Amino acid sequence: MRNNGEGFEIQRTASGETRALSSSVGLGHHVARLLLVLMTCGSLCSSQGASVIGERGIAATGHPLATEAAIHVMKTGGNAIDAAVAAALTLGVVDGHNSGIGGGCFLLVHLANGSVAAIDGRETAPAAASRDMYLRSGKAETSLSQTGPLAVGVPGALAAYQYALEHYGKRSLKTLLLAAAGLAEQGFAINRHYAGALAATAEELKAFDASRAIFFGSDGSPFKPGDTLKQPDLAQTYRAIAEQGLPWFYRGPFARAAGDWMSTNGGLLGTEDFRKYEAKIREPVRTTYRGCEIVGFSPPSSGGVHVAQILNILENFDLKSMANSANFIHIVAEAMKLAFADRAYWLGDPDFVPVPRGLVSKAYAAKLAKQIRMDGIAQVEEHGRPEGAKENIFGGHTTHFSTADAEGNWVACTATINTSFGSKIVIPGSGVVLNNQMDDFSIQPGVSNFFGLIGAEANAIAPGKRPLSSMSPTIVLKDGKPILSVGAAGGPTIISQTVLAIIYTIDFGMPVELALAQPRFHHQWRPDELKIERAVPEEVRRELQKRGHKLAIVGSFGAAQAVGRSSARDRFSGANDPRGEGKAQGY
């Protein structure tokens, strides 16, 4: 038995089951019972998800080597922004099936002076792209938006990292690139998640010579767990950017090589598309939840809008008093469903379409909350209509990592190349895996993307437009000071994972490691099903089915990372998702 430092005790039984015992700070019998139900998470509550403490800095990423790179930067005089970029560049080496400089990112920064910067490094559609580019004989051919040359958008992550360092960091991009280049050259041992992604996408990767040369052994089989992966071409690319700057990538040899390859292989992405790319500064989405301020990312992220919208709906319910976990899951899932119905219709790139600010209003959330019944599911046939929808608008496979430092700088960054190994394309000689972010557009009304999401006119393809994203980097403030940086990986489940992490920390007072270990559930409106982890007790699942929920039971999903700070102790805590192989570290 141990006290987790946040007011309630945790006991692990002989069978490995985790139980919440009585509260020492007044959580009460009902909340303790709810925690007991929700924390029967078996193998999820592993030592990998244990919280770590830091006095001067903290980092939590999806891979131990990336976390160590971030901490090393802070220990040697860098700040949380430098650490986040170091982690990102390292993840591009050791976790390249999820993210890298061939993809994009949303980078949310809370600075020591109290200001917040939201840096949009989302990919853009090529100038030659068109709304019907994936239609064949009038029907959408989804394979074209997911694999191969037509799937690729203009990468934006590198531009966003450079902007963050120039404006808020202490280290140069050159220094951080050279450190990551050394790792790419010397190699690293592939973990089981990397090997699993390779095995699952082997047939598609084999179709491209440069990809096959990197990720397959001499016997023609994909690398397995424990094998050493060396990426000398990627190391050379990192070093070239380090010496010659971003122009090498966006205006020089890489842009020309990518444009030439695309022209030869039927792609639309051209050298000029790279030259025109710019990272953008967005206005953060802000709301409040039970006395805390929630700061998220604005469109083209749907995450910031709908994390805020879901929390606004849930604020109308006393979640803390709900001992019956079926009630808890039912209400939260119904709120998710209402928000995702709005996502499908309203959300897109604010530089191209009007996205209503009313989606995050408390009044609109209260209206939606009235549709939620306790005895059954709501029939949500279409999106809602927030007040002033046309006038009051926003201005213009994945990984998440969070960092914070003693100066007061906090970062929440989510980066992606979309699905595993993105488009499966590596530009020969570069080692850079290119994204398949074009699949995040609505390629035809009513046609779902890889993750089952559908969209409308707001997310239709247009030249230079940024596709809608579920990435949800979020920073939570209390009394004006950051207490949590959180986000996740996993397509549209990113939104639900982020919401659940916030609920578990704010409503139930859980430390970050327990918040991330809770069984998860997710509803995205279409398809009309409640995705739910098997760790949720069977009796709870039966009750949800009685209320009309169609359950899609899975072993586990998602991968969240979080760092927090306790005002009582004035020190950092951090945790990685126990479902993954990441690492949190402090100093």
Side-chain angles (χ1 to χ4, degrees), residues 22 161 170 221 271 303 362 505 515 541 551:
S22 60
Y161 300 149
K170 297 180 178 180
S221 63
T271 303
K362 298 288 188 181
T505 53
R541 289 186 260 133
L551 302 189

Side-chain angles (χ1 to χ4, degrees), residues 2-14:
R2 66 183 175 86
N3 188 289
N4 65 21
E6 296 292 340
F8 55 86
E9 293 182 317
I10 306 302
Q11 181 184 63
R12 187 176 293 279
T13 67

